[in-house]
Amino acid sequence: EVQLVESGGALVQPGGSLRLSCAASGFTFSSYNMNWVRQAPGKGLEWVSYISSSSSTKYYADSVKGRFTISRDNAENSLYLQMNSLRAEDTAVYYCAREWPLDYWGQGTLVTVSS
Amino acid sequence: QSVLTQPPSVSAAPGQKVTISCSGSNSNIGNNFVSWYQQLPGTAPKLLIYDNNKRPSGIPDRFSGSKSGTSATLDISGLQTGDEADYYCGTWDSSLSAYVFGTGTTVTVL
């Protein structure tokens, strides 16, 4: 059974940093591209970032470019999102999702940016 | 702001059919496959339709998708109370080099 479990969400002050993790199981993680998608409270879905299976290709939404960094460790079956210079508008539930189309999603982890 | 436009809400009685539209442009829907996602209240999104009209294993054939030009459509027939959810279209945008979602549509069963 495919499982994606996010962690690392927290309350952080504006300008702060946070690192999210996504632990994958039930499939050959190293063979799949991965994504981060977020959803602000009461709002729609917003794609954040993509990383290819080998980490050779990465894409970012304009709203996070230069502040967020996606990475992965295939040996550890883990996906990461390093978030720096956080803003109030980054407050959201962050989901990791497999591939395009986004065929499996985790349950999400809440990031709150507030003073 | 999303580059894919959906109606905010649609509704129908149980057993009826609803249609959700997703309007885009040549840089996204016009030249890429469209997917649809269902988000039940308080849960993570789930893939409903991929490659315009294909259903993942376990998705009932009451859900169907289509695409024409720069627009896509999700049809839900035989509407059930369990279909009450938010629905999002999604596709790659070649101009933005980004995956884009629609604005989302809330389905209400009357």
Side-chain angles (χ1 to χ4, degrees), chain B:
Chain B
Q1 288 88 331
S2 175
V3 299
L4 304 181
T5 302
Q6 299 178 230
S9 64
V10 297
S11 61
Q16 297 299 304
K17 173 183 171 181
V18 294
T19 296
I20 301 171
S21 60
C22 176
S23 178
S25 66
N26 283 325
S27 66
N28 42 67
I29 293 177
N31 285 284
N32 295 289
F33 286 118
V34 176
S35 300
W36 289 90
Y37 303 90
Q38 177 194 58
Q39 187 174 31
L40 296 169
T43 70
K46 179 175 80 171
L47 179 64
L48 206 59
I49 297 287
Y50 68 99
D51 289 358
N52 302 332
N53 55 18
K54 297 180 174 63
R55 287 184 306 276
S57 174
I59 301 300
D61 58 7
R62 300 187 298 105
F63 296 91
S64 63
S66 63
K67 188 183 97 168
S68 178
T70 59
S71 293
T73 299
L74 173 69
D75 289 325
I76 310 173
S77 60
L79 203 60
Q80 301 175 2
T81 55
D83 297 333
E84 288 201 326
D86 292 325
Y87 293 82
Y88 297 89
C89 56
T91 188
W92 177 253
D93 190 296
S94 307
S95 294
L96 298 175
S97 291
Y99 194 85
V100 291
F101 288 103
T103 48
T105 299
T106 299
V107 169
T108 301
V109 181
L110 301 172

Side-chain angles (χ1 to χ4, degrees), chain A residues 59-78:
Chain A
Y59 295 112
Y60 298 93
D62 284 345
S63 57
V64 306
K65 207 170 291 183
R67 300 188 299 123
F68 290 11
T69 302
I70 192 171
S71 63
R72 63 190 296 162
D73 185 335
N74 286 341
E76 294 293 326
N77 293 332
S78 292

Side-chain angles (χ1 to χ4, degrees), chain A residues 26-53:
Chain A
F27 64 102
T28 305
F29 181 72
S30 59
S31 297
Y32 287 86
N33 307 315
M34 298 294 295
N35 297 268
W36 287 100
V37 177
R38 69 184 181 183
Q39 186 170 36
K43 301 297 184 182
L45 301 175
E46 180 188 15
W47 170 83
V48 172
S49 185
Y50 159 97
I51 186 169
S52 63
S53 57

